[in-house]
């Protein structure tokens, strides 16, 4: 994996955002759609039947986006120190950045070093997409044991960000977004603005 090339590709496709799911909303808003992973916008599964529904919905959308393609699976970790934490064997460290805890204006903009904050470490794994290959990870996201995950095509044009309760999908055009929304209309949020 060429870290510099991957960083350049990310910055070209998603300028101004870090590779963590919640960071992307402002950059891809007009090409964004949110799907809920359970009926009636229920957030957390209670039993294996509901996990099966959740996984079926995730895999259906992912399969529509990535059938026959390789994907990047981006998984962040955060620490209080700059040292890179351990990760799954196949996941390679891609990049690290610091996010200060201080309120706006106290983040070191004056040249001083911020005192507190979080180091975000992004790991990337490249694999062939097939339905079910991410089920374990998707369950961990649903159970709030993973956070900020992104699944992307290797050109980083389409992003799939699962979260506890559903998934945010960022597509190449508003037309592609509208087709996906129509295909899975029953899974859309019922809240104003699509949240």
């Amino acid at each position: 994996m060429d870290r510099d090339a991957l960083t350049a590709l990310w910055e070209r496709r998603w300028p101004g955002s870090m590779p963590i799911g919640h960071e992307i909303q402002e950059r891809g808003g007009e090409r964004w759609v949110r799907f809920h992973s359970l009926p009636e916008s229920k957030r957390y599964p209670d039993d294996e039947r509901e996990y099966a529904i959740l996984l079926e919905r995730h895999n259906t959308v992912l399969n529509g986006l990535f059938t026959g393609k390789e994907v990047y699976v981006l998984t962040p970790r955060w620490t209080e120190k700059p040292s890179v934490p351990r990760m799954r064997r196949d996941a390679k460290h891609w990049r690290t950045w610091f996010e200060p805890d201080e309120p706006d204006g106290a983040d070191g903009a004056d040249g001083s070093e911020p005192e507190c904050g979080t180091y975000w470490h992004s790991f990337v794994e490249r694999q062939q997409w097939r339905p079910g290959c991410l089920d374990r990870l998707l369950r961990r996201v649903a159970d709030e044991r993973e956070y900020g995950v992104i699944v992307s095509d290797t050109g980083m044009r389409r992003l799939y960000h699962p979260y506890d309760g559903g998934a945010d999908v960022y597509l190449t055009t508003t037309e592609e977004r509208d087709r996906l929304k129509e295909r899975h209309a029953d899974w859309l949020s019922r809240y104003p603005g699509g949240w």
Side-chain angles (χ1 to χ4, degrees), residues 77-83 85 98 101 115-121:
R77 291 288 182 266
W78 53 93
T79 62
E80 294 177 358
K81 299 186 187 267
S83 56
F98 182 76
D101 287 342
E115 293 181 24
C116 299
T118 302
Y119 288 91
W120 288 88
H121 310 277

Side-chain angles (χ1 to χ4, degrees), residues 25-79:
Q25 179 59 39
E26 292 178 20
R27 306 293 177 248
E30 71 281 352
R31 298 171 287 142
W32 163 82
V33 61
R34 172 170 282 181
F35 294 111
H36 287 177
S37 53
L38 290 170
E40 299 179 24
S41 298
K42 182 177 179 186
R43 190 153 186 134
Y44 300 103
D46 288 328
D47 54 35
E48 287 305 312
R49 184 186 64 76
E50 289 183 341
Y51 276 108
I53 293 168
L54 175 145
L55 292 172
E56 176 65 25
R57 287 185 179 192
H58 281 300
N59 280 290
T60 297
V61 176
L62 284 161
N63 205 44
L65 296 173
F66 305 125
T67 295
K69 298 178 181 159
E70 286 192 329
V71 296
Y72 288 130
V73 180
L74 309 176
T75 309
R77 291 288 182 266
W78 53 93
T79 62

Side-chain angles (χ1 to χ4, degrees), residues 77-136:
R77 291 288 182 266
W78 53 93
T79 62
E80 294 177 358
K81 299 186 187 267
S83 56
V84 177
R86 294 182 57 124
M87 188 59 163
R88 293 183 308 277
R89 183 173 48 102
D90 294 336
K92 307 293 184 221
H93 178 253
W94 169 23
R95 61 193 292 193
T96 296
W97 64 94
F98 182 76
E99 190 172 294
D101 287 342
E102 283 81 14
D104 290 345
D107 61 359
D110 61 358
S112 65
E113 194 65 29
E115 293 181 24
C116 299
T118 302
Y119 288 91
W120 288 88
H121 310 277
S122 187
F123 293 83
V124 64
E125 183 176 350
R126 186 174 179 153
Q127 65 183 66
Q128 184 69 35
W129 164 256
R130 64 183 184 354
C133 70
L134 299 178
D135 283 1
R136 187 169 168 226

